[in-house]
């Protein structure tokens, strides 16, 4: 291998995704080694996957770091899950086609390339048996380009952005930022293609105002105007362009997006600027996800909320049915559902507020029935189903301990946090928490519990949305973290492996545990 400099490493044009061959026409799925890539893109900044995973293959932390670094946007996160499912032998379905499903089969489909549902059918499944589901979300608070992003001030080229979700927006100042997302490209035959793009080099910056011009910022607080102060710099305006626009009496601001940005996108995509029909881009932090702390016990990363949960759920499903015989004694259907737009309420075509998951369940029951199974088959299946709503949880902050209820202060490295709220901001009940803790107890896994203080508001999750959709038993849980909704978050390395083991145990053990509980 040729020796390259650090600068070349940091700007090396690595492909966003490996491209497995299409296997749609064959019943034999394509398979590759999921662990073939090591996390070595930025060796000067981050720990490698091999060092994070230790000497055994039981840890998924290194693979999570790889996933986080691939998944700058909800589109990239979904595409990477798709790649890994195909590699693991799952068959890609299309929602527009008729499904022909079989017991023992493993399947998935995507919606909007930001929502995904995957499932594995137990070989002993009979119509009316339940679904065991882990649901999470692919989106995170971020800045998004406005439909007309081109702006200029004081000879700077700038990008107009929208705030998405409830971000800690002050953390986005003075970061090395770039763009990523999806682009609609016009093909030579006149058709239009959906392509993902990620500009890995630092491209943008939102500069802070110097303290000399804002003397009271440390006493009065930093209170930026999100419309006028949170506008990233792209470039300085070329003098020749300024002179040319004056001569013609035109302004570059009339274009929807700056030509410089469009040229960068066309270079990344390998197409002409004129072939770019539309763009949907997020502003992203370029600093890689990595291990931190004196003992490398922390994960420092953006988008832990909620890609950490998404990846633990994915790996639990894949690894719980990856070997011959894993589904041989399973009576239920194991499922993962990853939704978009949770951070803004889930009310969208690709969000948990849409009936995507329940439509899929109904279709699955119908396809597996083979013969008439009675009008109540789907309803009976829902009654026997169980949903784990997996979202990140608020770990106790050592500098703000009073923000937590005294007896419910989740800590890092202490296991999944089961979330309770009497006002149903979380969907956990006494029955569902008991069942989920019984799974952990059977496998010697720790759990914690969280209740918000009575004098503070409580956030929510997709749990209550899905629980009330058709009446499915639900527990809300999550991995404890700090800096939630910051551009850079932190969680405990051990909790990733505990969550993965808990989710995997849920798939493997829930059926036997559920049969022991009788609730009218």
């Amino acid at each position: 291998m040729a020796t390259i400099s650090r600068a070349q490493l940091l700007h090396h044009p690595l492909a966003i995704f490996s491209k497995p061959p299409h296997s749609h026409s064959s019943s034999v799925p394509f398979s590759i080694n999921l662990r073939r890539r090591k996390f070595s893109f930025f060796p000067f900044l981050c720990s490698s996957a091999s060092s994070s995973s230790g000497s055994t293959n039981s840890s998924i932390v290194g693979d999570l770091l790889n996933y986080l670094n691939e998944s700058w946007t909800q589109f990239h996160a979904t595409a990477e899950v798709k790649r890994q499912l195909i590699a693991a032998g799952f068959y890609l379905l299309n929602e527009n086609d008729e499904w022909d499903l079989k017991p023992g089969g493993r399947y998935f489909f995507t919606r909007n390339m930001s929502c995904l549902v995957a499932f594995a059918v137990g070989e002993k499944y009979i119509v009316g048996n339940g679904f065991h589901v882990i649901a999470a979300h692919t989106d995170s608070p971020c800045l998004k380009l406005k439909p007309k992003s081109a702006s200029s001030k004081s000879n700077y080229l700038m990008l107009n952005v929208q705030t998405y979700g409830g971000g800690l927006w002050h953390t986005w100042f003075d970061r090395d930022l770039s763009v990523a997302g999806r682009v609609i490209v016009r093909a030579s035959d006149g058709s239009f293609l959906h392509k993902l793009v990620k500009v890995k080099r630092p491209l943008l910056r939102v500069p802070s105002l110097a303290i000399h011009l804002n003397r009271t910022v440390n006493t009065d607080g930093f209170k930026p105007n999100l419309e006028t102060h949170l506008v990233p710099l792209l470039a300085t305006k070329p003098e020749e362009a300024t002179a040319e626009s004056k001569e013609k009496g035109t302004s570059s601001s009339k274009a929807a997006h700056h030509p410089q940005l469009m040229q960068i996108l066309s270079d990344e995509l390998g197409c002409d600027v004129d072939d770019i029909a539309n763009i949907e881009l997020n502003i992203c932090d370029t600093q890689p996800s990595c291990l931190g702390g004196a003992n490398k016990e922390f994960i420092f990363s953006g988008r832990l909320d909620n890609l950490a949960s998404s990846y633990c759920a994915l790996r639990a499903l894949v690894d719980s049915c990856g070997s011959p015989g894993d589904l041989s004694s399973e009576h239920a259907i194991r499922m993962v559902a990853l939704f978009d737009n949770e951070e803004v309420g889930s009310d969208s075509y690709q969000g948990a507020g849409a009936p995507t998951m329940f439509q899929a369940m109904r279709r699955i029951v119908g396809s597996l029935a083979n013969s008439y199974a009675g009008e109540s088959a789907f309803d009976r299946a829902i009654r026997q189903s169980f949903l784990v709503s997996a979202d990140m949880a608020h770990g106790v902050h050592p500098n703000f301990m009073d923000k937590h209820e005294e007896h419910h202060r989740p800590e890092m490295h202490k296991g999944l946090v089961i979330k309770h709220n009497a006002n149903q901001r979380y969907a956990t009940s006494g029955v569902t928490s008991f069942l989920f803790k019984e799974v952990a107890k059977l496998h010697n896994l720790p759990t914690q519990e969280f209740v918000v203080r009575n004098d503070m508001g409580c956030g929510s999750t997709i749990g209550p949305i899905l629980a009330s959709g058709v009446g499915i038993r639900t527990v809300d849980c999550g991995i404890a973290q700090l800096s939630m909704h910051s551009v850079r978050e932190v969680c405990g390395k051990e909790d990733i492996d505990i969550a993965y083991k808990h989710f995997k145990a849920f798939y493997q053990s829930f059926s036997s545990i559920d049969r022991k509980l009788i609730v009218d």
Side-chain angles (χ1 to χ4, degrees):
M1 180 177 179
T3 302
I4 59 177
S5 68
R6 179 182 181 184
Q8 288 173 313
L9 261 177
L10 294 177
H11 299 95
H12 196 274
L14 294 168
I16 294 177
F17 302 111
S18 300
K19 296 180 179 178
H22 296 291
S23 59
H24 305 177
S25 60
S26 172
S27 61
V28 180
F30 175 70
S31 180
I32 59 176
N33 182 1
L34 287 179
R35 294 182 175 86
R36 71 190 186 283
R37 296 180 302 166
K38 296 296 182 181
F39 182 65
S40 56
F41 302 161
F42 296 85
F44 303 102
L45 299 177
C46 301
S47 303
S48 67
S50 57
S51 64
S52 66
S53 297
S55 57
T56 69
N57 294 324
S58 60
S59 176
I60 67 165
V61 170
D63 295 330
L64 171 66
L65 291 175
N66 286 335
Y67 176 69
L68 290 167
N69 283 306
E70 293 285 356
S71 305
W72 280 18
T73 72
Q74 70 276 31
F75 306 120
H76 291 82
T78 305
E80 180 61 10
V81 171
K82 174 183 176 180
R83 185 192 69 78
Q84 294 197 23
L85 286 170
I86 291 174
F90 282 68
Y91 185 81
L92 176 61
L93 300 170
N94 189 316
E95 285 192 279
N96 297 326
D97 299 336
E98 186 174 351
W99 294 353
D100 181 19
L101 310 178
K102 305 294 182 185
R106 296 172 293 169
Y107 311 91
F108 76 100
F109 66 89
T110 65
R111 178 179 287 191
N112 190 52
M113 193 44 72
S114 62
C115 169
L116 180 146
V117 175
F119 57 97
V121 184
E123 292 184 17
K124 292 190 176 180
Y125 172 85
I126 59 174
V127 173
N129 286 358
F131 293 81
H132 299 161
V133 190
I134 302 175
H137 64 89
T138 59
D139 62 317
S140 303
C142 66
L143 304 177
K144 293 177 178 283
L145 260 62
K146 291 181 178 179
K148 295 182 179 180
S149 71
S151 176
S152 60
K153 301 177 185 178
S154 300
N155 281 334
Y156 288 104
L157 300 184
M158 311 182 77
L159 298 182
N160 290 321
V161 296
Q162 304 177 72
T163 55
Y164 175 84
L168 289 173
W169 303 120
H170 68 275
T171 65
W172 287 74
F173 284 72
D174 300 327
R175 302 290 302 185
D176 295 344
L177 306 174
S178 192
V179 294
R182 68 172 169 190
V183 178
I184 305 300
V185 177
R186 183 181 295 103
S188 57
D189 62 359
S191 63
F192 295 93
L193 305 175
H194 158 111
K195 291 190 175 183
L196 300 187
V197 66
K198 180 197 298 183
V199 181
K200 293 186 177 181
R201 68 180 177 91
L203 190 65
L204 305 169
R205 197 170 183 90
V206 183
S208 296
L209 182 63
I211 194 169
H212 314 78
L213 305 177
N214 190 12
R215 291 289 187 181
T216 63
V217 66
N218 289 328
T219 55
D220 295 347
F222 183 42
K223 302 173 183 177
N225 182 293
L226 300 184
E227 176 66 21
T228 59
H229 299 157
L230 196 61
V231 186
L233 302 179
L234 173 67
T236 51
K237 186 182 296 184
E239 292 184 6
E240 59 271 19
T242 304
E244 183 180 348
S245 64
K246 286 181 178 179
E247 290 177 9
K248 294 182 178 181
T250 60
S251 170
S252 61
S253 63
K254 290 184 178 179
H257 307 286
H258 287 303
Q260 291 88 338
L261 174 63
M262 300 304 292
Q263 186 61 55
I264 290 170
L265 296 176
S266 70
D267 292 342
E268 290 286 330
L269 294 164
C271 69
D272 293 334
V273 172
D274 292 341
D275 291 332
I276 298 177
N278 198 20
I279 64 176
E280 186 174 355
L281 300 180
N282 295 359
I283 306 298
C284 305
D285 185 20
T286 61
Q287 185 176 355
S289 306
C290 64
L291 296 181
N295 303 309
K296 297 184 178 179
E297 68 265 47
F298 302 128
I299 295 176
F300 297 157
S301 175
R303 307 174 305 282
L304 288 174
D305 178 16
N306 189 32
L307 294 186
S309 303
S310 297
Y311 189 72
C312 290
L314 165 72
R315 281 296 297 272
L317 177 65
V318 168
D319 293 350
S320 71
C321 58
S323 301
D326 282 347
L327 296 172
S328 60
S329 60
E330 179 61 81
H331 294 76
I333 296 173
R334 301 172 182 176
M335 177 178 282
V336 161
L338 306 179
F339 298 100
D340 194 2
N341 299 135
E342 188 275 344
E343 298 293 358
V344 292
S346 297
D347 290 334
S348 69
Y349 168 72
Q350 56 276 350
T356 309
M357 187 178 81
F358 300 119
Q359 286 175 345
M361 289 177 168
R362 192 179 294 277
R363 293 187 66 176
I364 292 167
V365 170
S367 177
L368 292 169
N370 293 323
S371 59
Y372 181 71
E375 182 270 338
S376 64
F378 173 72
D379 297 319
R380 287 187 287 116
I382 292 298
R383 296 290 79 74
Q384 298 189 67
S385 296
F386 194 93
L387 171 70
V388 177
S389 169
D391 207 341
M392 301 299 279
H394 296 292
V396 63
H397 196 303
N399 299 331
F400 299 92
M401 292 179 61
D402 61 329
K403 296 296 183 181
H404 274 71
E405 198 276 333
E406 181 181 3
H407 303 291
H408 298 85
R409 292 175 171 170
E411 299 178 29
M412 291 188 187
H413 317 302
K414 297 293 181 67
L416 279 174
V417 180
I418 298 175
K419 307 175 185 179
H420 303 261
N421 184 261
N423 296 304
Q424 294 301 298
R425 299 295 288 170
Y426 303 128
T428 306
S429 71
V431 169
T432 60
S433 64
F434 165 76
L435 289 169
F436 197 58
K437 285 188 287 188
E438 281 296 297
V439 171
K441 188 181 298 183
L442 183 64
H443 293 264
N444 297 314
L445 297 170
T447 59
Q448 308 179 79
E449 294 181 291
F450 172 76
V451 175
V452 74
R453 289 171 55 110
N454 289 327
D455 55 359
M456 295 182 65
C458 182
S460 191
T461 67
I462 59 177
I465 296 172
L466 295 172
S468 61
V470 292
I472 184 172
R473 294 177 297 170
T474 302
V475 64
D476 264 297
C477 70
I479 299 167
Q481 73 161 100
L482 299 176
S483 306
M484 188 179 288
H485 288 195
S486 170
V487 73
R488 198 77 176 166
E489 301 171 324
V490 56
C491 73
K493 181 179 73 172
E494 290 184 29
D495 286 324
I496 296 300
D497 287 326
I498 294 172
Y500 158 69
K501 292 174 183 177
H502 198 148
F503 292 162
K504 187 177 178 182
F506 165 71
Y507 286 130
Q508 295 173 329
S509 306
F510 185 79
S511 292
S512 60
I513 294 173
D514 193 31
R515 284 195 292 268
K516 298 177 181 178
L517 177 67
I518 300 174
V519 178
D520 293 337

